[in-house]
Amino acid sequence: FCLSRGLGDVYKRQALQATQIINQGKTLILDVRPAADYAAGHIRDAKNIPLKELKGRVAELEKFKARPVIVVCSKGLQSNKATALLKKEGFTEATSLLGGLDAWQSQGLPVTK
């Protein structure tokens, strides 16, 4: 897969790459937007932990440490911060969705409520 490096060594995935990994199964989609934004529409099966709560709730994700984790926000900025945090916590396959949910939807990919 083609991964591009972003700020602080955070890897980013384009929507198409993300869907291929999601379709293989065992992938965690972590939506770090506020709960209200998540409720308005999110990627199917995404877990919502707002960025401001992530540090205190990272233990909830422990079983995904060695699995692909795709971090999503609105435009890709907050997810970069969350991905960097997860990498520090030992999540070796954490990546940020390039362009966030906006890019996902602009490519015609589905969201659910």
Side-chain angles (χ1 to χ4, degrees):
F1 290 102
C2 175
L3 292 176
S4 61
R5 278 182 187 223
L7 294 170
D9 228 19
V10 168
Y11 286 97
K12 300 176 187 176
R13 276 188 209 280
Q14 294 180 344
L16 180 62
Q17 297 165 326
T19 56
Q20 291 169 336
I21 292 165
I22 292 165
N23 289 339
Q24 291 171 12
K26 293 191 168 67
T27 302
L28 170 66
I29 303 158
L30 178 63
D31 192 320
V32 295
R33 297 175 303 146
D37 294 350
Y38 175 83
H42 56 269
I43 297 172
R44 188 172 53 101
D45 297 330
K47 179 173 180 66
N48 181 228
I49 300 179
L51 180 60
K52 65 181 185 225
E53 298 173 19
L54 184 58
K55 193 161 183 70
R57 294 179 60 188
V58 78
E60 293 176 34
L61 309 173
E62 194 68 29
K63 68 181 180 186
F64 295 100
K65 263 194 171 169
R67 294 191 199 162
V69 177
I70 299 172
V71 186
V72 182
C73 66
S74 295
K75 301 194 181 308
L77 302 174
Q78 301 298 310
S79 60
N80 288 342
K81 292 177 187 170
T83 301
L85 173 78
L86 290 173
K87 291 272 191 189
K88 278 186 201 157
E89 295 289 334
F91 289 79
T92 55
E93 295 190 54
T95 55
S96 175
L97 182 63
L98 189 64
L101 196 65
D102 289 358
W104 179 270
Q105 289 180 290
S106 73
Q107 299 212 5
L109 295 164
V111 294
T112 188
K113 292 185 180 181

